[in-house]
């Protein structure tokens, strides 16, 4: 009887704690979100600078006439934090610091990286902060958000497809199928796709060669679009991507511009060149 009574007390304590402490998802779903237009007004961002994605998300341009002449704000960089056992890491610390600054009456904006679907569905889980120091809508941010990752993956794999098409039709400059350095990407952790053989089957499928997939966020295009100042700069940088080497002796490097795909890749990244602003 004594053991049974002790177990019952333990269960009651656990139930009490469960009622007192909510999960990240419960907190996020219970949050009362403010329309993105109201948030932009508080920050002094004019309505014509917003590119809405529903009620609670929007994109903004890198520059706007109403911001000309304004002083730059102070930058606080949060990086290289080893998360605690409870999961407090860079994002949770950044959001908590932002909330504290707002509480002190400061005008604060937090800039975070978009979560990759691979880690989201892996052991790491979501990446929108935690507890009461998280960004909402949490499920949107952790999943497809505004579709930027999908656009980057499409641009990357378009180049991959054009590389194999270039080899198949023996276009100039002639690519050496054994020296293709441009792989494919998918926004998921899939170990079976790390090293593969492509173009098997009929003759029309191309020349069989070894290939593989990386995760989308590891794409060179991810770095390029982050560094690009405008569309022209983005296309110039995309055109310099090295995809492989020629059959010449000595060989020379072949770029995306050589395959005439830099313009189409830039078109796929059109909306990515705007900054995303969630509630």
């Amino acid at each position: 009887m004594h053991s049974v009574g002790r177990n019952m007390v333990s269960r009651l304590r656990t139930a009490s704690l469960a009622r007192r402490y909510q999960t990240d998802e419960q907190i996020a779903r219970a949050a009362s979100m403010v329309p993105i237009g109201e948030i932009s007004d508080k920050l002094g961002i004019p309505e014509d600078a917003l590119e809405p994605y529903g009620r609670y998300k929007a994109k903004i341009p890198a520059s706007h006439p109403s911001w000309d002449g304004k002083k730059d704000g102070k930058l606080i960089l949060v990086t290289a934090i080893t998360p605690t056992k409870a999961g407090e890491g860079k994002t949770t610390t950044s959001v908590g610091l932002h909330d504290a600054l707002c509480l002190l009456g400061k005008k604060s904006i937090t800039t975070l990286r978009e979560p990759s679907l691979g880690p989201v569905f892996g052991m790491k889980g979501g990446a929108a902060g935690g507890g009461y120091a998280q960004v909402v809508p949490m499920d949107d941010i952790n999943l497809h958000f505004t579709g930027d990752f999908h656009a980057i993956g499409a641009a990357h794999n378009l180049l991959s497809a054009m590389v194999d098409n270039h080899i198949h039709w023996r276009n100039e400059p002639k690519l050496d199928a054994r020296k293709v350095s441009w792989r494919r990407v998918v926004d998921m952790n899939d170990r079976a796709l790390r090293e593969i053989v492509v173009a098997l089957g009929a003759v029309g499928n191309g020349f069989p060669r070894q290939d593989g997939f990386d995760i989308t966020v590891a794409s060179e295009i991810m770095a390029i679009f982050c560094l690009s100042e405008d569309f022209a700069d983005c296309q110039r940088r995309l055109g310099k991507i090295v995809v492989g080497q020629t059959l010449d002796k000595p060989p020379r490097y072949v770029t995306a511009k050589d395959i005439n795909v830099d313009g189409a890749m830039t078109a796929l990244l059109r909306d990515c060149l705007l900054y995303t602003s969630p509630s």
Side-chain angles (χ1 to χ4, degrees), residues 17-228:
L17 287 171
R19 285 194 298 270
R20 210 184 320 167
Y21 299 105
Q22 294 180 308
T23 65
D24 292 348
E25 184 179 6
Q26 288 172 328
I27 293 171
R29 294 194 181 281
S32 179
M33 291 190 289
V34 178
I36 195 68
E38 293 184 26
I39 294 176
S40 65
D41 287 341
K42 291 179 181 178
L43 294 172
I45 299 174
E47 186 179 351
D48 63 347
L50 285 184
E51 187 79 27
Y53 280 71
R55 293 192 66 198
Y56 305 110
K57 296 175 292 183
K59 289 198 170 192
I60 55 176
S63 60
H64 191 270
S66 65
W67 304 332
D68 293 343
K70 290 190 175 181
K71 288 178 60 178
D72 290 337
K74 295 179 180 179
L75 176 66
I76 301 173
L77 180 63
V78 180
T79 186
I81 291 176
T82 301
T84 66
K85 290 183 179 179
E88 299 111 341
K90 296 185 292 295
T91 306
T92 307
T93 302
S94 298
V95 176
L97 182 59
H98 160 79
D99 288 342
L101 289 169
C102 289
L103 194 63
L104 292 172
K106 305 295 183 182
K107 188 180 290 186
S108 174
I109 298 176
T110 306
T111 304
L112 306 171
R113 78 281 172 272
E114 183 178 343
S116 168
L117 283 179
V120 166
F121 289 107
M123 289 187 67
K124 179 180 179 295
Y132 289 95
Q134 61 174 301
V135 189
V136 290
M138 180 260 284
D139 47 354
D140 283 15
I141 295 168
N142 279 323
L143 297 177
H144 307 292
F145 210 9
T146 54
D148 288 356
F149 278 3
H150 300 301
I152 291 166
H156 184 113
N157 290 329
L158 171 63
L159 178 53
S160 302
M162 289 295 287
V163 165
D164 282 305
N165 187 68
H166 191 89
I167 296 172
H168 175 74
W169 292 108
R170 299 180 174 86
N171 291 335
E172 293 289 345
K174 288 186 170 56
L175 261 170
D176 189 338
R178 301 164 301 177
K179 295 181 179 179
V180 173
S181 56
W182 189 255
R183 291 157 57 92
R184 288 167 159 81
V185 295
V186 61
D187 195 27
M188 197 61 60
N189 291 343
D190 192 344
R191 67 180 71 250
L193 294 178
R194 291 174 184 171
E195 299 293 337
I196 61 173
V197 177
V198 296
L200 297 176
V203 174
N205 293 345
F207 290 87
R209 64 180 183 84
Q210 188 172 350
D211 202 353
F213 279 81
D214 297 315
I215 198 163
T216 301
V217 290
S219 171
E220 185 177 341
I221 295 175
M222 174 65 75
I224 286 174
F225 109 90
C226 288
L227 294 170
S228 298

